Amino acid sequence: QLLAHKLMHAAFGRQLSTTSETETAKVQDNSSYPEAAVLEEFSELPEALKRVLSLENASQREKNQFEKRQAMKQYQLHPTDTGSPEAQIAMLTVRINRGNDHVRTARKDNSSKRALMRFVEARKRHLRYLKRESEERYFALIEKIGLNDTINLVPPRAFLPAEAQRAALQKQLRKKQERQRVADEKAATVARGAQLRERHRQRMELQGAQDEAHEKSRQAAQEAVDSAAAEESVEEASKGK
């Protein structure tokens, strides 16, 4: 790729040096000429050098640059366009797709994850700008690239101090009501406990009184039985005499 660029610039420089001013302007306006010159120079190279200069033997960085250039060339508005929203969105989409593939295999590469998030936010900014400028171009681009319409141009609700103050007061009132409810529930629980304890005390007192009365009646009955038995024994003794 580097040699191809050098050949392109060398051929283009030779052509500019041998043409007139009119021809020079014509060559400058014709963006396809440097590529044609490079192809002509490339076709004259030996087969071994062609294989060395092929994209298969390029580094990953050169492949990524080639992929970005192809994407920008496909969506650019004119041959020298590199800054239009369409070209930037296409380039960022290529980088996002490549970043997604890398993150799937390297899940602990946090720096790549942060870079991927920056690319996504940058593409959102370009998409928002394009939709604000021309919805026709925006929808044509996302349909061609395969993106969903997730850009909302409706401005967020304005911050109103009075409304915020009312919301804060309502929140404070809700907290106060919640504290009061908890305190009431606690007081009711304490009152129920005291009431249950009082009922238990009264029940135990009643049970004690009943037990005491039963014991007294039992003792009285036993005393009556004992006195009757004593009287019978006295009568039997008197009869025996």
Side-chain angles (χ1 to χ4, degrees), residues 6-20 23-24 27 33 37-38 40-42 44:
K6 290 182 179 179
L7 290 173
M8 177 184 69
H9 290 301
F12 191 52
R14 287 197 302 271
Q15 182 65 22
L16 287 178
S17 63
T18 56
T19 54
S20 61
E23 291 175 348
T24 302
V27 170
Y33 174 78
V38 169
E40 183 178 356
E41 295 284 343
F42 188 78
E44 297 176 357

Side-chain angles (χ1 to χ4, degrees), residues 14-119:
R14 287 197 302 271
Q15 182 65 22
L16 287 178
S17 63
T18 56
T19 54
S20 61
E21 294 181 358
T22 305
E23 291 175 348
T24 302
K26 188 183 297 184
V27 170
Q28 290 175 348
D29 293 336
N30 187 8
S31 61
S32 62
Y33 174 78
E35 294 183 1
V38 169
L39 291 176
E40 183 178 356
E41 295 284 343
F42 188 78
S43 62
E44 297 176 357
L45 295 176
E47 291 296 329
L49 188 55
K50 288 182 181 179
R51 288 194 297 271
V52 171
L53 295 176
S54 66
L55 190 62
E56 296 178 356
N57 296 324
S59 64
Q60 187 62 42
R61 182 178 180 181
E62 292 174 343
K63 291 179 181 178
N64 295 339
Q65 291 177 354
F66 177 78
E67 189 176 359
K68 286 190 291 185
R69 285 197 301 270
Q70 291 299 111
M72 293 182 68
K73 189 181 298 183
Q74 185 178 0
Y75 293 97
Q76 60 188 187
L77 301 180
H78 51 82
T80 59
D81 175 29
T82 57
S84 65
E86 288 87 345
Q88 291 294 318
I89 290 168
M91 182 191 67
L92 289 169
T93 302
V94 170
R95 301 186 75 172
I96 289 170
N97 294 335
R98 188 169 62 248
N100 284 328
D101 295 338
H102 174 71
V103 168
R104 289 193 190 98
T105 56
R107 297 182 181 274
K108 295 185 179 180
D109 192 354
N110 295 322
S111 61
S112 296
K113 291 180 181 179
R114 289 192 293 268
L116 181 60
M117 292 173 64
R118 289 197 299 269
F119 295 152

Side-chain angles (χ1 to χ4, degrees), residues 136-148:
E136 183 179 356
R137 290 165 56 192
Y138 168 77
F139 285 108
L141 178 65
I142 63 174
E143 182 179 0
K144 190 174 181 181
I145 293 181
L147 301 176
N148 297 324

Side-chain angles (χ1 to χ4, degrees), residues 143-161:
E143 182 179 0
K144 190 174 181 181
I145 293 181
L147 301 176
N148 297 324
D149 181 19
T150 58
I151 304 301
N152 185 15
L153 296 180
V154 178
R157 191 175 181 181
F159 177 75
L160 301 177

